[in-house]
Amino acid sequence: MRTSQPQTIYLKDYEVPPFLVDHTDLRFELFEDGARVHSTLSMRRNPESAAGQPLELDGDSLELESVALDGQALSDRDYEATPASLRIDSVPDQFSLSVVTWIRPQDNTRLEGLYKSSGMFCTQCEAEGFRCITYYPDRPDVMARFRTRIEADQSRYPVLLSNGNDVERGELDDGRHYAVWEDPFPKPSYLFALVAGDLVEKRDQFTTVSGREIDLRMYVEPRNAEKCDHALVSLKKAMRWDEEVYGREYDLDIFMIVAVDDFNMGAMENKGLNIFNSSCVLASPDTATDMAFQRIESIVAHEYFHNWSGNRVTCRDWFQLSLKEGFTVFRDTQFSSDMGSPTVKRIEDASLLRTAQFAEDGGPMAHPVRPDSYMEISNFYTLTVYEKGCEVVRMIHTLLGPEQFRAGSDLYFERHDGQAVTTDDFVRAMEDASGRDLSQFRLWYEQAGTPRLTVEDEYDDAQGTYRLTIHQSVPATPGQPEKQPQHIPFAVGLIGEQGKALPLRLSADEDENDAPTQRVLELTGDSHTFTFHGLQARPVPSLLQGFSAPVRVDYPWTRDQLMFLMSHDPDGFNRWDASQRLASDVIESLMHQPKDVRTDRRLLTAYRHLLADRSLDQALVARMLQLPTVAALIEQSETADVQAIHEARRRVLTELAVELRDDLVACYRRNQESGEYRLEPEDIARRALKNTALAWLLHVNDEEGRMLAVKQFEGATNMTDRASALRALVNSDFEGDRQQALDRFYGQFKEDPQVVEQWFAIQASSPNAGSLAHVEALLEHEAFDWKNPNKIRSVVGAFAGQNLSHFHAKDGSGYRFLAKHILALDETNPQIAARLVSPLTRWRKFKNVYSEGMKSALETLRDKPDLSKDVYEVVHKSLKD
Ligand SMILES: [Zn+2]
């Protein structure tokens, strides 16, 4: 057992840093057996801090070689050093501190700090990785100007990069060389980056709004030279968009992107030198799917947008993580919806929120958007901080309107440029620019849990009035038993008998022509009643249009009403939502029913209409045809019975596919690829629709479907079609074709790690092929590598997160499998290990037959001696009563 419990850090204990760093001078000597880091810090006491405090710097696994104060070497009596801290009791008010440390990047499997990936040196310092490089006040509110000199072997590491501008380079003895980088903008240590490797450079240019020429450079391994164009095009679009929409211009002369294979996160916004997980930046039509292209465009934009929302204005402490992440995710979702289909983008974001973030909000790790305590900050890079944080900013945008929101963001950047601030500062800028009072709104940052809105209605035929009554409740969450009502923008519409959106008159005097067809009602109390006037008949309510707030809505729509909304609601999001509610209702009603009970014919009719509808946005049609996922159905149920949900969903899918077979074939043929691959929204929609039809046909082992899939697989001109055909075959019972396709796919792409990851994920997530035995065999495959987070995610992560019928096997084998691998990973990469615990954390949500096994897997983890802080926190919180 662990001897000491990891410490909990509280927001209420925040104190300003006792020392500030004006300048950080670094010199890295990189070797094959380690690296020597020389750091010289120009420091002074913080005038705002209490006098006389000792100097204490953070470290992690460091070997100290020497310490000097103002040029004088200190003896070991003058300081106290451990691998995790350096303390000097007596220092003057202003001084220069020089420290030399020895680190071992080649043995760093945690991938925090400086490490080696595919023969290159690279860094990941957010949140607390810089302390693995040298002793430092490693907290975001200490901002310094950095100068970095890198020395390494010239033939192995011809490219030497760090933040800022390239100021000097030259040769040294013994075949070594050096480069010096200077970053003129003060920054916290988490934004430091270094890269050294044998990389090819792709160059581009961008002219800013004020006419400055920016050098854009992308560095990748030679084999990836042809996969950079999309990221560079996306970067230029993002740079232009940020100027136009937010008035933000880029500030350095160079902007660099580097792709690395081994990376814990998706990408990192280091000042001027963004480092990306290869899977989030490299793409070509042969190797990346449409979804990957879209994801890359959005991640490149996200990291670029951080240059202002994150880097120029940063977080005071890690409790404020959503200050930069919530706002930047909001900015990237706005950008993506401007680049593609706004409705589909909204559906994707809301689906993620409703399945995964609502689950987090309802589980043992529930925390506010601005958490008030943590043990390990890496565990708080969550959907709540990112996605719910984005929704919170979106609600401010809705409440203020676009002009006042822009005025608020201008004021925020102007007021806080070069500072480390809080979410409260962000909200205050929005208030000051708009004159609106957001004091109750701030509860969105402070209260955890998903608010639930229960809606009742009443139609008065004689008066022609329709009344909506909305009750709000916020559930208790760990540490927060009592909640206050929140300020919720609730967008509604009413649809009349003819399928038209009705004018919403909130008083009898209001002129029909002045009344809008959508209103944003502001909910602030436990309950509100709104009366709409001048109606001829009972309308169908369209509630929470555009998903205007991250809440659950309960209203007893009938199946006929849902079908009506599916074909008439002017709000595209709610059309989709109606399709999901209808399908969920049908699936849930079939659970535990005898086999001869048939699916409601109305669902069939609705889908038949959809398959034939060419007037609707085809991207929306493709989305509406997707049945709710097993994960979404689990989230909607009180106590989940995974196998029953899986079976009922399968039955509905089977029946639909059999009955709609001819419609599916017609839809497939109508949308077949013709001509060159293009990444335009209508082409993406066409492929999505066609591939959905194909998946359904293969689900019922249709012979014509099989021929179409094999033909598509063999003749595909792009990865979207190839991978979709492969997935369809893997999910069918055509075992011969499946194996042949898998072998051919691997043979063709085995040199490409990103494609091999897709190949792994297609199998590990398949309810057909992805049995536990098969997944265990994948772990023995020559291409699998426990040191590479992407491989772990594509096999273990895909199995536990997406292949729910196998993962939740009633004998508990899936849980034991996961626990076994988390235990092993805890030794090498605790961040990744902790993230894999997530599927077990909500054990209380499941029926006994599952929850007992999940709990016992968590107990196995709990009992490991010397569990990492990362895994400790998640496991202990999950088991807590
Ligand atoms: Zn970010």
Side-chain angles (χ1 to χ4, degrees):
M1 295 292 253
R2 208 190 157 89
T3 44
S4 67
Q5 185 184 326
Q7 265 192 332
T8 300
I9 299 167
Y10 296 94
L11 170 61
K12 63 178 165 52
D13 295 340
Y14 173 83
E15 282 179 22
V16 297
F19 291 88
L20 302 174
V21 184
D22 291 318
H23 197 268
T24 299
D25 203 304
L26 299 170
R27 178 175 157 227
F28 287 84
E29 295 180 86
L30 304 178
F31 304 103
E32 293 315 292
D33 61 343
R36 183 167 290 111
V37 185
H38 307 254
S39 135
T40 300
L41 311 179
S42 311
M43 301 190 76
R44 62 191 157 88
R45 283 191 192 276
N46 184 353
E48 288 170 37
S49 167
Q53 297 193 55
L55 175 69
E56 262 193 289
L57 302 180
D58 305 302
D60 188 338
S61 322
L62 296 174
E63 274 176 50
L64 178 65
E65 291 195 346
S66 69
V67 188
L69 191 67
D70 288 325
Q72 296 290 311
L74 298 186
S75 81
D76 51 13
R77 288 187 307 278
D78 303 323
Y79 60 84
E80 220 176 281
T82 70
S85 76
L86 174 65
R87 180 186 163 115
I88 307 176
D89 280 328
S90 142
V91 289
D93 289 346
Q94 189 149 10
F95 56 93
S96 148
L97 179 75
S98 303
V99 176
V100 181
T101 47
W102 177 254
I103 54 176
R104 299 169 198 279
Q106 74 282 4
D107 301 329
N108 180 346
T109 58
R110 287 162 55 191
L111 314 184
E112 294 174 71
L114 180 66
Y115 63 93
K116 282 187 96 170
S117 166
S118 315
M120 79 168 105
F121 287 92
C122 64
T123 51
Q124 171 56 35
C125 293
E126 185 177 359
E128 297 180 335
F130 193 73
R131 62 186 64 185
C132 308
I133 294 173
T134 183
Y135 293 104
Y136 202 78
D138 191 14
R139 45 188 288 172
D141 54 355
V142 172
M143 298 169 85
R145 287 193 173 78
F146 278 64
R147 183 177 197 272
T148 306
R149 177 184 163 108
I150 311 162
E151 302 174 10
D153 183 87
Q154 185 154 19
S155 59
R156 280 179 203 257
Y157 311 103
V159 173
L160 305 175
L161 310 173
S162 190
N163 317 84
N165 297 314
D166 185 355
V167 294
E168 193 189 330
R169 56 181 65 223
E171 292 189 6
L172 299 165
D173 293 341
D174 302 331
R176 291 172 71 79
H177 70 145
Y178 73 93
V180 180
W181 292 81
E182 233 170 52
D183 185 353
F185 295 96
K187 65 166 178 288
S189 48
Y190 82 86
L191 289 172
F192 171 80
L194 177 156
V195 170
D198 186 2
L199 303 169
V200 293
E201 180 187 79
K202 295 296 238 185
R203 282 199 183 219
D204 209 327
Q205 282 250 312
F206 179 79
T207 310
T208 70
V209 64
S210 71
R212 290 173 43 245
E213 290 290 326
I214 313 295
D215 248 347
L216 309 180
R217 302 182 192 168
M218 195 162 160
Y219 294 92
V220 296
E221 287 176 54
R223 63 183 163 85
N224 293 322
E226 303 311 312
K227 295 162 111 188
C228 299
D229 292 352
H230 180 63
L232 285 166
V233 169
S234 304
L235 174 62
K236 287 187 285 183
K237 283 186 194 168
M239 294 177 91
R240 185 64 70 221
W241 186 92
D242 209 20
E243 291 180 342
E244 287 169 1
V245 179
Y246 280 87
R248 299 295 115 199
E249 185 180 353
Y250 186 63
D251 47 13
L252 291 163
D253 303 332
I254 313 175
F255 186 87
M256 296 174 284
I257 287 178
V258 182
V260 303
D261 286 345
D262 304 303
F263 207 66
N264 281 349
M265 310 206 185
M268 179 61 212
E269 72 263 23
N270 318 296
K271 183 76 186 185
L273 177 55
N274 288 3
I275 299 183
F276 277 69
N277 186 322
S278 300
S279 73
C280 297
V281 70
L282 300 175
S284 72
D286 290 344
T287 61
T289 60
D290 294 343
M291 249 166 70
F293 273 103
Q294 289 175 315
R295 192 177 72 234
I296 288 166
E297 182 182 77
S298 124
I299 298 178
V300 168
H302 176 97
E303 304 307 333
Y304 173 73
F305 295 155
H306 268 314
N307 190 54
W308 276 95
S309 49
N311 301 3
R312 289 286 288 256
V313 183
T314 193
C315 306
R316 188 193 72 175
D317 52 69
W318 291 119
F319 298 103
Q320 319 295 333
L321 181 57
S322 196
L323 173 82
K324 72 177 179 81
E325 294 307 341
F327 186 24
T328 306
V329 174
F330 176 61
R331 278 148 56 67
D332 85 53
T333 60
Q334 283 182 300
F335 168 75
S336 296
S337 69
D338 284 354
M339 299 296 129
S341 160
T343 307
V344 170
K345 174 69 182 149
R346 194 68 193 123
I347 290 168
E348 286 168 0
D349 294 342
S351 308
L352 175 66
L353 205 85
R354 292 209 297 206
T355 42
Q357 196 279 327
F358 282 12
E360 191 169 276
D361 240 353
M365 285 295 287
H367 54 276
V369 169
R370 190 199 63 200
D372 37 35
S373 70
Y374 61 77
M375 287 179 187
E376 171 50 61
I377 186 58
S378 303
N379 289 331
F380 286 80
Y381 284 71
T382 58
L383 291 159
T384 301
V385 166
Y386 278 66
E387 311 301 330
K388 188 176 178 183
C390 158
E391 294 298 323
V392 171
V393 177
R394 174 186 299 278
M395 288 188 285
I396 297 179
H397 186 272
T398 304
L399 291 169
L400 268 55
E403 276 105 57
Q404 290 195 338
F405 183 86
R406 169 67 196 269
S409 86
D410 284 352
L411 179 62
Y412 168 73
F413 288 126
E414 184 195 314
R415 197 182 260 178
H416 299 297
D417 190 10
Q419 296 177 3
V421 301
T422 63
T423 55
D424 207 44
D425 293 316
F426 177 80
V427 178
R428 191 166 310 114
M430 291 291 165
E431 282 179 319
D432 291 348
S434 67
R436 287 212 51 161
D437 176 2
L438 296 172
S439 36
Q440 185 187 5
F441 186 85
R442 282 180 171 79
L443 289 172
W444 280 106
Y445 286 99
E446 295 158 19
Q447 293 191 157
T450 306
R452 182 180 286 272
L453 301 180
T454 311
V455 183
E456 291 159 14
D457 61 348
E458 202 180 334
Y459 177 66
D460 185 331
D461 202 10
Q463 301 285 325
T465 55
Y466 178 72
R467 275 221 313 249
L468 275 182
T469 301
I470 303 141
H471 306 278
Q472 171 184 174
S473 65
V474 189
T477 48
Q480 292 189 334
E482 302 287 332
K483 301 287 169 70
Q484 297 168 49
Q486 291 179 190
H487 184 174
I488 299 173
F490 186 59
V492 299
L494 299 177
I495 320 297
E497 278 180 316
Q498 310 303 321
K500 276 190 67 180
L502 302 171
L504 304 177
R505 295 164 59 194
L506 280 171
S507 81
D509 312 331
E510 200 171 347
D511 190 328
E512 191 178 343
N513 298 320
D514 295 342
T517 54
Q518 184 197 59
R519 278 189 187 270
V520 179
L521 308 174
E522 294 193 25
L523 314 177
T524 51
D526 290 324
S527 87
H528 291 267
T529 298
F530 299 90
T531 306
F532 299 94
H533 297 263
L535 294 147
Q536 313 293 327
R538 186 185 192 92
V540 177
S542 166
L543 305 175
L544 200 71
Q545 292 192 331
F547 198 61
S548 63
V551 299
R552 292 175 202 270
V553 174
D554 291 332
Y555 172 82
W557 281 287
T558 63
R559 288 186 185 176
D560 286 330
Q561 284 180 319
L562 290 172
M563 280 190 65
F564 178 78
L565 289 175
M566 269 176 81
S567 44
H568 297 295
D569 199 319
D571 185 68
F573 178 84
N574 272 4
R575 276 198 187 204
W576 169 80
D577 189 48
S579 75
Q580 298 298 293
R581 284 178 191 267
L582 178 65
S584 298
D585 191 37
V586 170
I587 293 170
E588 278 158 20
S589 68
L590 281 180
M591 280 170 58
H592 308 293
Q593 292 289 327
K595 288 229 175 343
D596 55 345
V597 177
R598 304 287 303 270
T599 298
D600 189 334
R601 306 295 295 176
R602 285 175 290 186
L603 188 65
L604 213 77
T605 312
Y607 278 62
R608 180 165 282 136
H609 284 156
L610 269 177
L611 277 167
D613 192 335
R614 314 232 202 136
S615 61
L616 255 189
D617 174 358
Q618 296 293 289
L620 177 58
V621 173
R623 279 280 158 184
M624 288 173 75
L625 282 172
Q626 310 274 345
L627 290 181
T629 59
V630 173
L633 293 162
I634 288 175
E635 190 40 40
Q636 287 160 27
S637 49
E638 270 312 308
T639 313
D641 182 343
V642 189
Q643 299 303 339
I645 290 173
H646 174 70
E647 263 322 300
R649 184 181 182 279
R650 230 182 136 78
R651 268 169 75 181
V652 171
L653 186 54
T654 304
E655 223 177 302
L656 289 173
V658 168
E659 297 266 354
L660 297 172
R661 190 222 164 253
D662 294 344
D663 308 74
L664 291 166
V665 172
C667 170
Y668 180 89
R669 294 201 181 277
R670 193 168 72 233
N671 288 296
Q672 253 172 323
E673 203 69 15
S674 58
E676 214 182 314
Y677 175 78
R678 294 188 320 150
L679 201 60
E680 298 302 322
E682 52 286 9
D683 298 285
I684 295 173
R686 195 170 42 71
R687 283 189 287 271
L689 202 51
K690 169 188 75 175
N691 287 320
T692 302
L694 190 65
W696 283 33
L697 289 167
L698 275 279
H699 172 77
V700 289
N701 303 312
D702 184 90
E703 184 51 32
E704 190 175 356
R706 183 186 73 84
M707 279 158 53
L708 292 172
V710 170
K711 199 167 152 224
Q712 174 171 322
F713 179 78
E714 285 172 355
T717 58
N718 61 78
M719 184 50 83
T720 305
D721 282 345
R722 193 182 310 274
S724 299
L726 178 65
R727 188 185 300 275
L729 287 166
V730 167
N731 287 334
S732 76
D733 293 336
F734 298 118
E735 283 181 31
D737 296 295
R738 169 206 297 177
Q739 201 48 52
Q740 210 177 357
L742 281 170
D743 293 345
R744 279 197 49 187
F745 190 96
Y746 181 72
Q748 191 173 351
F749 294 104
K750 65 180 172 192
E751 304 303 328
D752 189 315
Q754 286 90 55
V755 184
V756 172
E757 284 149 22
Q758 296 179 51
W759 182 79
F760 275 133
I762 286 173
Q763 297 174 72
S765 64
S766 167
N768 258 40
S771 65
L772 181 58
H774 187 69
V775 169
E776 280 177 325
L778 291 178
L779 296 178
E780 301 298 320
H781 192 273
E782 59 172 10
F784 188 81
D785 177 2
W786 281 108
K787 289 205 285 295
N788 179 256
N790 290 358
K791 296 293 184 301
I792 299 168
R793 282 186 275 256
S794 63
V795 179
V796 185
F799 175 71
Q802 292 163 46
N803 193 353
L804 300 183
S805 60
H806 284 296
F807 174 63
H808 290 279
K810 286 185 175 170
D811 63 5
S813 52
Y815 312 140
R816 287 193 297 276
F817 163 84
L818 184 63
K820 179 174 107 187
H821 294 300
I822 292 171
L823 285 176
L825 274 169
D826 189 55
E827 298 289 325
T828 54
N829 189 331
Q831 271 188 21
I832 297 296
R835 268 173 241 170
L836 286 175
V837 183
S838 168
L840 296 170
T841 55
R842 287 211 81 195
W843 57 278
R844 289 185 177 90
K845 174 90 186 168
F846 295 82
K847 285 207 151 157
N848 276 350
V849 58
Y850 311 100
S851 65
E852 281 166 13
M854 294 168 88
K855 185 176 176 221
S856 127
L858 285 165
E859 286 164 348
T860 312
L861 296 175
R862 182 195 60 195
D863 294 343
K864 173 181 180 261
D866 295 319
L867 203 56
S868 72
K869 196 158 67 153
D870 310 59
V871 175
Y872 180 98
E873 177 172 32
V874 183
V875 167
H876 279 253
K877 285 183 174 169
S878 301
L879 288 170
K880 207 171 157 196
D881 291 327

